[in-house]
Structures are given as structure tokens and as C-alpha cells.
């Protein structure tokens, strides 16, 4: 985990604990030792366990933590995914923050897995987007991987994605080619993706050098099939996007596109129900 994840965890703990956990301080004896089991209360895909473990160890390095599952494992109601032993006071202080991370990230992984299952048997890869919780992007994109999906660009820095609003500034294909050539010369590792709203744009973009991907935005399945035929067996890889849901993704995959990006993987994921059960030692 990168250092900024440590900062995120520290901020989350500071937000929850503040000046101190008054409930644990006044109502839980210092000497009380327990075993706590992290219990999954719904079927899904687990993610965020290493983050939850880090939360617990930051609260109290003396707690004994054992992971019983790993990120990406399928889980069912009643499964235990983590065991924690030690001070009841410390575990109770860490409980909510650790569960918040595990629940949210498992929700993203579970949501991703449901979409990936719908395109099994095709060549399509399911991508996430930048529609992530601010500050959580690295974690949520890791959860997408746990669910069987793939990451799109991480941010504005690792892929040039020229969308309709950017194209307003360009006067035509020749200016677009100049911009692509300049970028490739100065930053050869950066890939280029162009957004097309029409098949006419697809045709024009296919004539350009240095285009790695074409985003087919809100196109019908018939238009997607035509775009795939226009591209042929060589050329930029094609990504379908816009209004994708569980009912439509299989038919979109059947058109022959290479990728389908789904913002709902992160912006509409529902937290997986996970809790802690306490037992006396």
C-alpha cells in the first residue's frame, strides 16, 4: 500500500476517535482480553482486509491479527475472514474504522464480480472509471481487481483521454494529429484515447497515427458492431461506455468491443454486510 493510504487511514481514525474513545475508556476494563471474529453476513467477494488489518495494528500493535481469507476470495454468509486477539478496549476502538474499509471495498469487489460474470465466455474486459470516492481511488481500484475487473487510467496523468469537451479546442483532425505526435514525442509512455460520439468520428480517428484506444460513447449495439467492423483486425482497441448495466452488458460484449467501462463499479457499490463477533478468551 502506498504512503498516501497510511495518511487516509490516519485521517479516518482521527475522525472517529477524536480526543479519545470515551465508551471504551470508561466502560471496558483495561485487563479484558477477547477474541474477535470478522463475520461476513452476505454472499460476495471480500476486499480491503489488508487495509482493515493495518487499521487495527495502528490502533494497537500488540493485537494479534490473522487473515482467514485474502482479497478476491468469494465469501458466503457466516464466513469468518479475520481473527483478532487481545485487548477488548483496543479492538472496540478500531472496530468501526476497520469495518468501514472492509465493507466498502468488499462492496466494490462484489459489484465488479457481478458485472464480470455477465460477460464470461467473451473477450471483453470490464473496466472501472475515475468515478471514485475522493481519496479512496487506489483502494477502490484495487477492489475492482479483486472482483475480476481491470483498471482504466488512474488519473489525469497516466493516459491522455480526449473527450468531446477537449475536442472543442481542436479545429480538425490535422490539429489533433499534431497534438498526438507532440505528446508521443515528449511522453512516449503515455497512451492516447479519443472519445467518439458518432461513427463518422470513429472513421476519422482511425485515420490518425498514435491512437491507442477509441471510446465509443453511448452508442447502440448496432453502432458498436459497425465500429468494430470499421476497425478490423488491427488498430486502436475499442471501449464501450455509457449507460452500461447488468441487463445490457452481455449484449454489448457480444458486439466485439475490447473493453466495457462501468462507472457503477465504484460510484454505486453497496457495502457488504460485515461485523465483528466477540468471544471471551
Amino acid at each position: 500500500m502506498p504512503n498516501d493510504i497510511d495518511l487516509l487511514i490516519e485521517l479516518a481514525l482521527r475522525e472517529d476517535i477524536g480526543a479519545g474513545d470515551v465508551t471504551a475508556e470508561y466502560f471496558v476494563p483495561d485487563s479484558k482480553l477477547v477474541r474477535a471474529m470478522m463475520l461476513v453476513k452476505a454472499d460476495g467477494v471480500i476486499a480491503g482486509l489488508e487495509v482493515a488489518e493495518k487499521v487495527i495494528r495502528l490502533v494497537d500493535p500488540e493485537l494479534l491479527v490473522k487473515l482467514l481469507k485474502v482479497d478476491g476470495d468469494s465469501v458466503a454468509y457466516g464466513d469468518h475472514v479475520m481473527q483478532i486477539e487481545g485487548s477488548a478496549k483496543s479492538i472496540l476502538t478500531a472496530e468501526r474504522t476497520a469495518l468501514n474499509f472492509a465493507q466498502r471495498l468488499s462492496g466494490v469487489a462484489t459489484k465488479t464480480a457481478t458485472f464480470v460474470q455477465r460477460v464470461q465466455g467473451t473477450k471483453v474486459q470490464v473496466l472501472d472509471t475515475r468515478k471514485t470516492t475522493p481519496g479512496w481511488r487506489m483502494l477502490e481500484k484495487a477492489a475492482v481487481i479483486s472482483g475480476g475487473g481491470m483498471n482504466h487510467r488512474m488519473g489525469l496523468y497516466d493516459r491522455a483521454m480526449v473527450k468531446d469537451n477537449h475536442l472543442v479546442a481542436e479545429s480538425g483532425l490535422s490539429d489533433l494529429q499534431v497534438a498526438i505526435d507532440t505528446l508521443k514525442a515528449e511522453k512516449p509512455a503515455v497512451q492516447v484515447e479519443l472519445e467518439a460520439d458518432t461513427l463518422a468520428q470513429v472513421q476519422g480517428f482511425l485515420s490518425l497515427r498514435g491512437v491507442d484506444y477509441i471510446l465509443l460513447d453511448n452508442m447502440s449495439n448496432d453502432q458498436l458492431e459497425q465500429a468494430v467492423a470499421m476497425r478490423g483486425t488491427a488498430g486502436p482497441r475499442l471501449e464501450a461506455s455509457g449507460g452500461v448495466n447488468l441487463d445490457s452488458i452481455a449484449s454489448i460484449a457480444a458486439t466485439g468491443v475490447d473493453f466495457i467501462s462501468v462507472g457503477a463499479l465504484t460510484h454505486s457499490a453497496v457495502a457488504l454486510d460485515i461485523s465483528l463477533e466477540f468471544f471471551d478468551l
Side-chain angles (χ1 to χ4, degrees):
M1 288 179 285
N3 290 335
D4 53 358
I5 301 304
D6 291 349
L7 176 60
L8 178 62
I9 293 172
E10 290 169 7
L11 289 171
L13 286 170
R14 190 185 312 162
E15 175 183 66
D16 200 36
I17 299 170
D21 180 355
V22 293
T23 311
E25 182 179 350
Y26 286 94
F27 293 90
V28 181
D30 290 340
S31 60
K32 181 64 175 179
L33 300 177
V34 297
R35 173 183 296 117
M37 305 298 294
M38 189 174 286
L39 172 69
V40 175
K41 301 169 73 174
D43 296 349
V45 176
I46 200 72
L49 289 182
E50 291 183 9
V51 185
E53 179 184 13
K54 194 170 187 66
V55 170
I56 294 162
R57 294 192 186 281
L58 280 174
V59 170
D60 185 347
E62 295 187 7
L63 292 173
L64 302 177
V65 184
K66 181 179 181 182
L67 299 184
L68 306 178
K69 298 284 186 180
V70 298
D71 287 3
D73 281 351
S74 294
V75 291
Y77 183 97
D79 283 350
H80 289 130
V81 296
M82 181 187 293
Q83 176 180 294
I84 314 158
E85 291 186 356
S87 165
K89 181 177 290 188
S90 295
I91 296 172
L92 285 164
T93 298
E95 176 183 13
R96 177 44 50 200
T97 301
L99 286 176
N100 283 347
F101 279 107
Q103 289 176 317
R104 168 65 183 161
L105 297 174
S106 295
V108 171
T110 299
K111 184 88 169 179
T112 302
T114 62
F115 276 89
V116 170
Q117 288 166 2
R118 296 294 177 97
V119 299
Q120 282 186 344
T122 73
K123 68 172 187 175
V124 164
Q125 294 174 308
V126 178
L127 301 176
D128 55 23
T129 69
R130 287 167 49 237
K131 297 174 182 177
T132 54
T133 307
W136 283 60
R137 182 167 297 171
M138 294 289 289
L139 296 179
E140 290 180 348
K141 282 181 171 283
V144 167
I145 297 294
S146 293
M150 284 188 63
N151 294 152
H152 206 291
R153 60 177 178 165
M154 190 62 63
L156 297 174
Y157 53 87
D158 58 334
R159 180 185 297 186
M161 192 166 178
V162 186
K163 307 187 80 172
D164 50 1
N165 289 339
H166 298 96
L167 290 171
V168 170
E170 298 288 352
S171 59
L173 291 176
S174 59
D175 284 350
L176 196 54
Q177 185 65 76
V178 171
I180 294 170
D181 290 343
T182 303
L183 171 62
K184 292 288 187 176
E186 296 180 0
K187 298 184 177 182
V190 175
Q191 295 182 312
V192 172
E193 181 164 7
L194 306 180
E195 179 185 271
D197 298 319
T198 67
L199 291 174
Q201 284 182 310
V202 174
Q203 188 65 61
F205 294 161
L206 288 171
S207 69
L208 298 174
R209 300 181 305 275
V211 179
D212 301 292
Y213 305 91
I214 297 177
L215 173 66
L216 308 172
D217 187 46
N218 283 302
M219 290 192 180
S220 68
N221 288 351
D222 181 63
Q223 289 174 311
L224 294 175
E225 289 179 352
Q226 290 183 64
V228 171
M230 291 164 62
R231 189 271 312 269
T233 57
R237 305 188 77 181
L238 301 178
E239 173 191 340
S241 182
V244 181
N245 56 52
L246 285 173
D247 294 327
S248 65
I249 192 169
S251 62
I252 294 171
T255 65
V257 295
D258 303 293
F259 304 102
I260 302 174
S261 54
V262 186
L265 302 186
T266 51
H267 72 57
S268 296
V270 176
L272 193 67
D273 193 359
I274 306 173
S275 65
L276 279 185
E277 290 184 315
F278 285 71
F279 303 91
D280 287 327
L281 279 179

